[in-house]
Amino acid sequence: ESSTITEGISSILSNPGTPSQVVACAFPTKSTYFFPFTCVSEIFLYAKDLIFTIIWAIQNGRADIFVGSGNLSALAGVILKKLGIVGKVVFYCIDYVPERFTNPHVNWLYHWVDRLACEGADLTWNLSPRMADGRNRRWGKILGRQMTLPIGVHFSRIHRLPLDQIN
């Protein structure tokens, strides 16, 4: 079932329609962050991003909703939820690849983080229903609450309100 971002957020709030503080988090690209070491493992950099995201969110205070773009960012949201810093977590997943890395151990770790994010989030937004199918097939069970939230404008798939009903 396709939905919009507003419908996706409203579906996990206890009081839909009330103002909420929403934190959207995506990791910076390598060219936009400063880190004093240049010869470090990429896994170390991922761990650093996870830790820095958690620290940043704690410093910015409580939020009703944390939208994590990507599995590592969503995992930070899940940890923050367990710490009581955020109320609800949305895992916004723009791709799901069965073989993300050629190294089977790193690939397994990537999918394990994806599973933790999906199971720990209140809602997972996938760009395609095939993403949920692939994830569920990999683990042999339905993981978390997943919905399809396509990007772009698909007027045939998205319910639109008449102009006179829009605030």
Side-chain angles (χ1 to χ4, degrees):
E1 173 186 336
S2 294
S3 188
T4 65
I5 290 176
T6 303
E7 292 167 346
I9 289 177
S10 295
S11 72
I12 62 169
L13 290 176
S14 52
N15 296 319
T18 60
S20 299
Q21 180 175 343
V22 178
V23 175
C25 182
F27 289 132
T29 63
K30 289 182 180 181
S31 62
T32 61
Y33 64 73
F34 170 78
F35 197 67
F37 306 106
T38 55
C39 298
V40 292
S41 157
E42 196 169 2
I43 289 179
F44 177 78
L45 293 175
Y46 288 135
K48 180 221 28 117
D49 286 346
L50 178 70
I51 292 165
F52 281 15
T53 299
I54 292 168
I55 291 169
W56 173 83
I58 290 170
Q59 289 174 342
N60 282 284
R62 187 162 182 352
D64 297 318
I65 301 173
F66 181 99
V67 180
S69 177
N71 59 8
L72 204 55
S73 178
L75 181 60
V78 170
I79 293 168
L80 289 163
K81 181 178 178 180
K82 292 193 182 299
L83 294 173
I85 305 298
V86 299
K88 301 285 183 179
V89 177
V90 175
F91 172 16
Y92 182 45
C93 185
I94 62 167
D95 63 354
Y96 181 82
V97 182
E99 189 179 326
R100 169 70 95 199
F101 299 98
T102 54
N103 180 319
H105 303 294
V106 175
N107 198 58
W108 181 88
L109 182 63
Y110 167 81
H111 285 288
W112 181 71
V113 170
D114 184 84
R115 178 180 179 171
L116 291 176
C118 191
E119 288 181 326
D122 295 284
L123 185 61
T124 298
W125 291 339
N126 296 310
L127 289 186
S128 162
R130 294 177 59 192
M131 295 165 71
D133 294 342
R135 190 179 282 122
N136 296 340
R137 193 170 36 255
R138 177 179 187 85
W139 298 106
K141 65 178 189 172
I142 295 174
L143 294 180
R145 188 170 162 208
Q146 300 183 61
M147 67 186 299
T148 303
L149 191 78
I151 59 172
V153 180
H154 299 280
F155 291 129
S156 63
R157 293 193 242 167
I158 299 173
H159 172 71
R160 294 175 291 153
L161 293 174
L163 287 176
D164 61 342
Q165 292 183 10
I166 299 173
N167 299 359

